[in-house]
Amino acid sequence: MALLPILTAPDPRLKKVSAPVKAVDATVRTLMDDMLETMYQAPGIGLAAPQVGVLKRVIVLDLAREGEAPQPLKFANPEIVWVSDDDVTYNEGCLSVPEHYADVARPAACRVRYLDENNQQREIAAEGLLATCLQHEIDHLDGILFIDHLTALKRNIILRKLLKAKKTAAEAAM
Ligand code: GNR
Ligand code: NI
């Protein structure tokens, strides 16, 4: 197991479209486990491979509450095959957009087809926070961040603050 560094915006790697995995093999399984460890440590409820600089279509989630048994979910090549007509709004955050939160409306329910850690094709029906989080993670695989769902004005205010924070951190390290 290994902790992986999490990229933060603005970073060109977060804007790229990730490639499907050919099959879920030992390398992909190790990536999934390292991503889960990184996500728990952050802490977060989901993580997409591009957030750790790996441009592969792999995501992990765990929506178990503190004190509950962990419920790690691992997905390769996730595809949204159905979304509900009705939307729901959540106040979203992102480990790659630290310290910023905003309301995002997305379909309230969805179905996702994917390969599990044993390379078996499966489908999951999701609603509530799971539906939102799956859509947030799958967006990452297409280079889309939650701030891309905001107005350009709100997005640019956040991006400018993140860039400034990066510059300040880089200066402090010199
Ligand atoms: O930890 C996370 N919380 C969260 C809250 C509301 C909507 C989406 C998320 S995902 C986020 C972790 C993350 O950045 N995943 O890509
Ligand atoms: Ni995110």
Side-chain angles (χ1 to χ4, degrees):
M1 298 274 273
L3 282 177
L4 308 169
I6 297 177
L7 305 179
T8 58
D11 187 303
R13 288 166 288 182
L14 293 172
K15 300 307 298 169
K16 296 230 188 318
V17 176
S18 291
V21 301
K22 291 207 178 79
V24 179
D25 55 14
T27 305
V28 173
R29 274 191 290 276
T30 299
L31 172 64
M32 288 167 160
D33 289 339
D34 290 346
M35 285 170 59
L36 277 167
E37 187 184 1
T38 302
M39 181 192 82
Y40 289 132
Q41 202 263 334
I45 58 176
L47 192 69
Q51 293 183 274
V52 293
V54 178
L55 297 181
K56 291 181 183 173
R57 302 189 78 85
V58 172
I59 64 174
V60 296
L61 293 96
D62 192 330
L63 273 65
R65 273 177 271 255
E66 254 191 54
E68 284 181 357
Q71 292 167 35
L73 300 173
K74 308 172 186 182
F75 303 79
N77 301 346
E79 268 184 84
I80 296 174
V81 294
W82 174 83
V83 293
S84 61
D85 289 333
D86 57 317
D87 286 0
V88 70
T89 298
Y90 271 96
N91 194 248
E92 297 199 15
C94 180
L95 295 171
S96 297
V97 186
E99 292 166 40
H100 292 273
Y101 302 86
D103 284 350
V104 178
R106 301 180 187 270
C110 63
R111 291 188 68 87
V112 173
R113 189 177 299 152
Y114 65 100
L115 294 174
D116 71 10
E117 72 261 47
N118 298 312
N119 201 45
Q120 296 292 305
Q121 188 176 294
R122 290 180 181 275
E123 226 173 88
I124 185 174
E127 57 178 30
L129 185 57
L130 179 59
T132 290
C133 201
L134 274 168
Q135 292 172 72
H136 173 118
E137 301 313 335
I138 293 170
D139 265 359
H140 275 299
L141 305 182
D142 294 317
I144 298 167
L145 303 174
F146 82 87
I147 53 174
D148 294 316
H149 293 279
L150 309 179
T151 63
L153 179 66
K154 285 186 183 170
R155 175 168 57 255
N156 288 332
I157 288 171
I158 292 173
L159 282 171
R160 270 200 302 273
K161 285 182 180 163
L162 290 171
L163 187 60
K164 205 169 175 186
K166 270 193 182 183
K167 285 187 173 152
T168 307
E171 277 162 19
M174 296 212 303

